[in-house]
Amino acid sequence: MPSLPGDGTREAARRWLVHLRVAGVSRVRTLFTHHPRYADLTPVQYAEGLEWLRRTGLVSPSGRPAVNVGEGLPLDDADVPHVLWNAEDDERRSATGTAGERCLLALLRQAGLASVEHVSAVSDAFGYDIAATMPPDKHLHLEVKATTDPTRLVVHLSRHESDVMGADPRWIMGAVLVGRDGAALSVATVSRSWLLSVIPQDRSQRGTWESVRLDVPPEALKPGLIMEDGKSVLPGGSCATHGVWGMAAREAVSG
């Protein structure tokens, strides 16, 4: 790693690493510029801190932090922070997410649903990944979260996805366990009521959350793909493997 900059720029860099975990560069820059808590450093120091992080690879070109530092942890070469991001992991997560979406697209089409559309392939603006229609005329907006880990389910929810969930009663989160061959080993529905109970709340207009990491407990899961009225979307509990993510044989949640 190249030699460290001065104390002020290094502190600015540490603050960037903390706040880029939950918001983008433009929002964090606004926070540093307008919030009195961060006025002890200059805009130049914040700019130099971000530039140093990008130059050393501690922040990705898209603004994602590559390491995890806390509020009280100094950024120096005597204490190497825990790595959060690297290109290989990012590509692997992206491939898993794509595989999960393709799995559910195939299952929905096999189930005979009408107008199954992969809308996230067109734009992220929808706030969900798949749109489909259940007979006779019930619409389904499905947000897909995929993983290769059968022991625990961790999902990342964006602010936009959360806003769409709160406004759209047809929105459902489906979790997919993806096997090594890219096939769906298990499918579960994450409780909407649980999601609404755990998403963050903004404390002021000057600071808003942009994404959140959620560890989903077994009691917030239903095996299979279940609509809000309790109707199963996939026939015969397709890919509803019990025991995955701690789900019991007759797990049930309200939601």
Side-chain angles (χ1 to χ4, degrees):
M1 180 180 295
S3 60
L4 293 170
D7 291 344
T9 300
R10 188 162 66 250
E11 172 59 19
R14 187 193 63 78
R15 293 178 186 179
W16 277 109
L17 289 174
V18 170
H19 292 286
L20 284 175
R21 295 177 62 186
V22 295
V25 169
S26 61
R27 287 185 179 273
V28 176
R29 182 181 289 112
T30 300
L31 175 68
F32 291 160
T33 302
H34 297 287
H35 198 291
R37 178 181 178 184
Y38 303 101
D40 57 325
L41 299 180
T42 68
V44 171
Q45 287 173 313
Y46 284 118
E48 290 176 346
L50 180 60
E51 174 59 28
W52 178 76
L53 291 172
R54 284 173 165 163
R55 190 169 62 250
T56 56
L58 292 176
V59 165
S60 74
S62 62
R64 297 184 62 183
V67 294
N68 180 13
V69 298
E71 287 285 353
L73 182 64
L75 184 62
D76 57 46
D77 49 9
D79 191 353
V80 179
H82 171 65
V83 173
L84 280 180
W85 175 93
N86 61 57
E88 291 183 359
D89 286 345
D90 202 42
E91 291 175 2
R92 189 180 303 111
R93 282 191 292 268
S94 178
T96 299
T98 299
E101 293 174 19
R102 289 175 178 172
C103 288
L104 275 191
L105 283 166
L107 289 172
L108 292 169
R109 287 164 178 158
Q110 290 170 11
L113 272 69
S115 303
V116 178
E117 299 179 60
H118 192 188
V119 297
S120 64
V122 178
S123 172
D124 291 330
F126 290 92
Y128 51 88
D129 298 304
I130 298 172
T133 303
M134 287 277 292
D137 192 26
K138 291 186 177 181
H139 298 285
L140 171 70
H141 294 161
L142 182 61
E143 172 61 27
V144 184
K145 302 299 182 183
T147 180
T148 57
D149 186 352
T151 63
R152 61 197 291 256
L153 178 60
V154 178
V155 302
H156 291 81
L157 185 71
S158 73
R159 179 59 179 263
H160 180 54
E161 292 165 351
S162 174
D163 289 345
V164 172
M165 171 180 64
D168 183 358
R170 299 166 293 184
W171 192 98
I172 299 173
M173 180 182 286
V176 182
L177 177 64
V178 178
R180 292 183 178 180
D181 60 354
L185 301 180
S186 187
V187 176
T189 303
V190 181
S191 166
R192 172 196 290 265
S193 60
W194 179 82
L195 287 168
L196 291 171
S197 73
V198 297
I199 57 176
Q201 300 296 318
D202 295 334
R203 295 185 179 182
S204 76
Q205 294 182 346
R206 291 188 173 182
T208 60
W209 68 274
E210 289 298 307
S211 66
V212 62
R213 178 184 183 275
L214 303 173
D215 289 89
V216 184
E219 58 268 23
L221 294 169
K222 282 183 180 178
L225 197 57
I226 312 299
M227 298 184 71
E228 283 295 296
D229 60 5
K231 184 176 181 180
S232 178
V233 176
L234 303 176
S238 301
C239 291
T241 305
H242 303 297
V244 170
W245 305 316
M247 289 186 292
R250 295 186 179 181
E251 196 73 63
V253 295
S254 61

